[in-house]
Amino acid sequence: MDRQTFEADLRRDGYEIATNTTVGAKVNPEHSHPFDVRALVLDGALTLTSEGKTTTYRAGETFTMARGCLHSESYGPEGAVTLFGRKK
Protein backbone atom coordinates (compact mmCIF):
# COMPACT_ATOMS: atom_id res chain seq x y z
CA MET A 1 0.00 0.00 0.00
CA ASP A 2 1.22 3.52 -0.69
CA ARG A 3 1.61 6.13 2.02
CA GLN A 4 -0.94 8.64 0.72
CA THR A 5 -3.73 6.06 0.51
CA PHE A 6 -2.87 4.68 3.93
CA GLU A 7 -2.90 8.13 5.55
CA ALA A 8 -6.21 9.00 3.86
CA ASP A 9 -7.74 5.77 5.20
CA LEU A 10 -6.49 6.54 8.71
CA ARG A 11 -7.94 10.06 8.63
CA ARG A 12 -11.26 8.82 7.27
CA ASP A 13 -11.50 6.25 10.09
CA GLY A 14 -10.64 8.75 12.85
CA TYR A 15 -7.07 7.67 13.67
CA GLU A 16 -4.37 9.99 15.03
CA ILE A 17 -1.35 9.75 12.71
CA ALA A 18 2.34 9.66 13.66
CA THR A 19 5.66 8.29 12.44
CA ASN A 20 8.02 6.19 14.52
CA THR A 21 11.70 5.81 13.64
CA THR A 22 13.72 3.05 15.29
CA VAL A 23 17.43 3.30 14.54
CA GLY A 24 19.31 0.01 14.65
CA ALA A 25 18.56 -3.19 16.52
CA LYS A 26 16.08 -2.99 19.37
CA VAL A 27 13.71 -5.25 21.30
CA ASN A 28 10.60 -4.02 23.08
CA PRO A 29 9.47 -6.71 25.53
CA GLU A 30 5.86 -7.81 25.76
CA HIS A 31 3.45 -4.93 26.32
CA SER A 32 0.09 -3.62 25.14
CA HIS A 33 -1.39 -0.28 24.10
CA PRO A 34 -4.62 1.37 25.29
CA PHE A 35 -5.57 2.11 21.66
CA ASP A 36 -6.11 0.32 18.34
CA VAL A 37 -3.16 0.44 15.95
CA ARG A 38 -2.92 0.42 12.16
CA ALA A 39 0.61 0.68 10.76
CA LEU A 40 2.50 0.82 7.47
CA VAL A 41 6.21 0.03 7.41
CA LEU A 42 7.90 2.73 5.31
CA ASP A 43 11.50 1.51 5.58
CA GLY A 44 13.35 -1.41 7.16
CA ALA A 45 11.51 -4.19 8.95
CA LEU A 46 9.99 -5.04 12.29
CA THR A 47 8.93 -8.32 13.81
CA LEU A 48 5.87 -8.66 16.03
CA THR A 49 5.15 -11.62 18.28
CA SER A 50 1.66 -12.06 19.69
CA GLU A 51 -0.32 -15.09 20.83
CA GLY A 52 2.57 -17.41 19.92
CA LYS A 53 2.77 -16.16 16.33
CA THR A 54 5.76 -14.22 14.96
CA THR A 55 5.47 -12.15 11.78
CA THR A 56 8.00 -9.84 10.12
CA TYR A 57 6.70 -6.78 8.27
CA ARG A 58 8.79 -5.03 5.64
CA ALA A 59 8.49 -1.76 3.72
CA GLY A 60 5.08 -1.48 2.06
CA GLU A 61 3.38 -3.96 4.39
CA THR A 62 0.67 -3.11 6.91
CA PHE A 63 -0.56 -4.58 10.15
CA THR A 64 -3.25 -3.93 12.73
CA MET A 65 -3.49 -4.54 16.46
CA ALA A 66 -6.48 -4.23 18.72
CA ARG A 67 -6.09 -2.24 21.94
CA GLY A 68 -4.91 -4.42 24.79
CA CYS A 69 -3.22 -6.94 22.48
CA LEU A 70 -0.11 -8.29 24.24
CA HIS A 71 2.85 -8.27 21.86
CA SER A 72 6.60 -7.82 21.64
CA GLU A 73 8.51 -5.99 18.91
CA SER A 74 11.99 -6.50 17.54
CA TYR A 75 14.00 -4.61 14.97
CA GLY A 76 17.06 -5.78 13.06
CA PRO A 77 20.26 -3.78 12.54
CA GLU A 78 18.63 -1.67 9.81
CA GLY A 79 15.88 -0.46 12.16
CA ALA A 80 12.54 0.68 10.75
CA VAL A 81 10.39 3.69 9.97
CA THR A 82 6.71 3.10 10.59
CA LEU A 83 3.71 5.29 9.84
CA PHE A 84 0.98 4.47 12.32
CA GLY A 85 -2.43 5.47 13.39
CA ARG A 86 -3.90 5.06 16.83
CA LYS A 87 -7.50 5.29 17.92
CA LYS A 88 -8.99 5.05 21.40
Side-chain angles (χ1 to χ4, degrees):
M1 175 172 288
D2 70 87
R3 182 178 184 152
Q4 287 180 328
T5 301
F6 188 75
E7 283 188 34
D9 289 348
L10 290 175
R11 277 192 211 90
R12 178 197 67 217
D13 295 338
Y15 282 76
E16 296 175 28
I17 300 171
T19 303
N20 182 57
T21 301
T22 301
V23 180
K26 181 178 180 180
V27 174
N28 288 331
E30 190 171 67
H31 63 284
S32 66
H33 302 284
F35 45 81
D36 294 328
V37 173
R38 287 190 195 169
L40 168 65
V41 179
L42 299 175
D43 191 35
L46 70 105
T47 300
L48 296 176
T49 300
S50 180
E51 298 179 353
K53 182 179 176 190
T54 300
T55 306
T56 299
Y57 298 92
R58 298 182 186 349
E61 296 181 319
T62 64
F63 62 89
T64 61
M65 269 190 291
R67 76 188 80 199
C69 172
L70 285 174
H71 66 285
S72 62
E73 307 164 13
S74 62
Y75 302 83
E78 75 280 4
V81 178
T82 309
L83 173 69
F84 68 94
R86 63 184 186 180
K87 182 175 169 182
K88 289 193 175 194

